[in-house]
Amino acid sequence: MSLPPLSLYIHTPWCVRKCPYCDFNSHERGELPEQAYLDALLLDLEQDVAITGERPVETVFIGGGTPSLMSADFYRQLFDGIRARLPLADDVEITLEANPGTTEATRFEGFRAAGINRLSIGVQSFNDGHLKTLGRIHDARAAITAAGQARDAGFDNLNLDIMHALPGQSLEQAMADLEQAIALKPTHLSWYELTIEPNTVFYRSPPTQPDSDSMADTELAGFALLAAAGFQRYEISAFSQPGKACRHNLNYWQFGDYLGIGAGAHSKLSTLDEHGALVITRYQKTRKPEDYLAAPASARRNPQPVEGTDRIFEALLNGLRLIDGISLQTVERTMGLNPAQWVPLLIPLQRQGLLTINDERLGCTPNGLRHLNGVLETLAETL
């Protein structure tokens, strides 16, 4: 039994202002405790290195919060420390999330010099009215400028995050956002519907969004526009130029392993027991930044074994997001369970035209992708 590929996730929990739709572990703060957080991250990492073994880290993703608030020197020191503790693959993909309005040209150059080779800019919209509704601190001009600065700094692997189904947004406005994004020549676009999550301002005071028919029309028009521009849809809301899919997120969706460091970060790690059987465990780090900073060496908590049908459901929860579905060989390798034991349970969904199943792969049909939440609810009841 071989272990799955390993990724590293680094969480930076601070932002300038909390957006009303955001349910991530992010906290408003002025002056950032860079040195204290750097020391905490490396202490946190040292506690987990024993679990990961000798596997090299294939991808790194720095999320938040707003990671681009931290200085380039912070990341230079961080990656020096990471490389001293963990092997990184020669072709490691290192992604940093950045928000327009928190960066300038010299900062992008510093990020690139620190070894970061992929940038994900949270634009959300190029419409100033919609940006104001979303609580963003930038305007359209700042977003366009940030994309240009990233290119000039040497980031030839660039993602832009764009939302649709915004309050008061028309189909024409949604397409204008996509057209502007495409004009900036990113290699990857994350284009997704604004969803209202619990524990957010929008959940307590929901905005009026376009109706479901309008959302469906917008999606179809957007898919056509993106395809015409050479973007391949490889996941429900992810579109890339050939060869530029996000390797980090692919590892999540294919049920690979990931080590999470930072306040509130999650990990999913596989080991082999004395009999060679696969053991999968999830962890979550201390969530509140102040508590994390106070005791980073003991941040790991709530170990949760992933066993039996939970493994099947979690693998499908992620893998069915992919347009091509998931390889049954990959599922068997990452779960340690023979597909012959559980695939027959999915035949009713295949007969309903929601899943495709063959000897090699399992995936959603186009109709299944449109109704993925319903498919997953049925799976949760079935498995």
Side-chain angles (χ1 to χ4, degrees):
M1 175 73 67
S2 60
L3 296 177
L6 178 66
S7 293
L8 173 65
Y9 175 76
I10 303 166
H11 192 74
T12 58
W14 297 291
C15 53
V16 174
R17 184 168 65 204
K18 182 86 169 179
C19 296
Y21 59 85
C22 178
D23 68 336
F24 296 147
N25 184 32
S26 59
H27 306 264
E28 295 182 10
R29 180 163 180 155
E31 185 177 352
L32 301 179
E34 280 204 359
Q35 188 59 52
Y37 201 61
L38 172 65
D39 295 341
L41 287 171
L42 294 177
L43 277 172
D44 182 1
L45 179 61
E46 286 176 1
Q47 309 311 305
D48 287 341
V49 166
I51 306 174
T52 62
E54 297 300 317
R55 283 177 292 169
V57 171
E58 306 289 343
T59 68
V60 181
F61 197 99
I62 309 158
T66 306
S68 52
L69 288 173
M70 308 301 252
S71 69
D73 190 57
F74 170 87
Y75 289 113
R76 180 188 61 77
Q77 294 183 67
L78 176 61
F79 280 101
D80 284 348
I82 289 171
R83 285 187 169 91
R85 294 162 173 82
L86 272 179
L88 300 187
D90 292 341
D91 64 343
V92 62
E93 173 193 89
I94 303 176
T95 302
L96 175 81
E97 288 185 335
N99 284 353
T102 66
T103 55
E104 63 279 336
T106 54
R107 186 174 288 246
F108 279 134
E109 291 165 1
F111 293 154
R112 190 69 187 86
I116 295 161
N117 55 27
R118 185 176 184 273
L119 209 61
S120 180
I121 301 180
V123 173
Q124 315 313 355
S125 176
F126 293 97
N127 180 299
D128 286 344
H130 292 150
L131 287 170
K132 184 176 180 180
T133 299
L134 292 173
R136 306 297 287 175
I137 64 171
H138 68 274
D139 59 15
R141 182 180 296 275
I144 293 169
T145 299
Q149 290 172 334
R151 283 289 191 195
D152 292 343
F155 285 99
D156 57 2
N157 200 357
L158 175 65
N159 172 67
L160 300 180
D161 269 5
I162 306 292
M163 286 183 177
H164 66 92
L166 305 180
Q169 186 183 52
S170 66
L171 186 154
E172 291 75 18
Q173 289 172 325
M175 292 306 99
D177 275 349
L178 269 187
E179 288 166 357
Q180 177 61 80
I182 291 167
L184 294 173
K185 301 189 182 304
T187 51
H188 191 285
L189 279 167
S190 298
W191 186 58
Y192 51 94
E193 175 188 318
L194 169 65
T195 56
I196 308 303
E197 304 288 353
N199 303 314
T200 64
V201 172
F202 275 178
Y203 187 80
R204 295 189 291 272
S205 300
T208 301
Q209 295 178 267
D211 60 35
S212 58
D213 287 343
S214 297
M215 288 186 192
D217 291 342
T218 296
E219 282 200 343
L220 289 174
F223 294 160
L225 179 61
L226 288 161
F231 286 89
Q232 300 171 343
R233 186 187 184 206
Y234 69 96
E235 188 265 349
I236 283 184
S237 57
F239 306 78
S240 75
Q241 293 291 336
K244 294 297 185 179
C246 178
R247 289 166 49 202
H248 186 87
N249 286 342
L250 278 172
N251 193 43
Y252 284 154
W253 296 323
Q254 293 171 343
F255 208 55
D257 275 1
Y258 51 92
L259 171 61
I261 60 173
H266 292 254
S267 302
K268 175 247 168 185
L269 296 171
S270 303
T271 55
L272 299 177
D273 67 15
E274 64 272 18
H275 305 294
L278 191 67
V279 177
I280 302 176
T281 308
R282 291 194 178 277
Y283 306 92
Q284 181 184 356
K285 302 299 173 63
T286 305
R287 183 175 174 85
K288 190 175 179 182
E290 291 77 10
D291 294 342
Y292 178 84
L293 284 168
S298 58
R300 191 195 311 151
R301 64 188 181 96
N302 296 335
Q304 298 288 332
V306 184
E307 300 172 328
T309 56
D310 286 344
R311 290 191 188 183
I312 301 170
F313 181 72
E314 290 200 22
L316 298 182
L317 178 71
N318 292 293
L320 291 179
R321 295 179 61 89
L322 294 169
I323 303 306
D324 291 337
I326 190 166
S327 158
L328 291 181
Q329 182 181 13
T330 297
V331 174
E332 183 171 15
R333 173 175 55 80
T334 55
M335 294 192 324
L337 295 173
N338 186 340
Q341 298 172 340
W342 54 271
V343 167
L345 300 174
L346 310 183
I347 298 299
L349 287 169
Q350 182 184 35
R351 290 173 177 161
Q352 294 172 45
L354 299 171
L355 292 183
T356 59
I357 305 171
N358 58 41
D359 292 339
E360 296 182 356
R361 301 192 72 82
L362 167 69
C364 280
T365 64
N367 192 41
L369 285 170
R370 284 193 293 270
H371 299 94
L372 181 58
N373 286 341
V375 170
L376 294 175
E377 287 174 6
T378 301
L379 288 174
E381 296 167 358
T382 302
L383 296 173

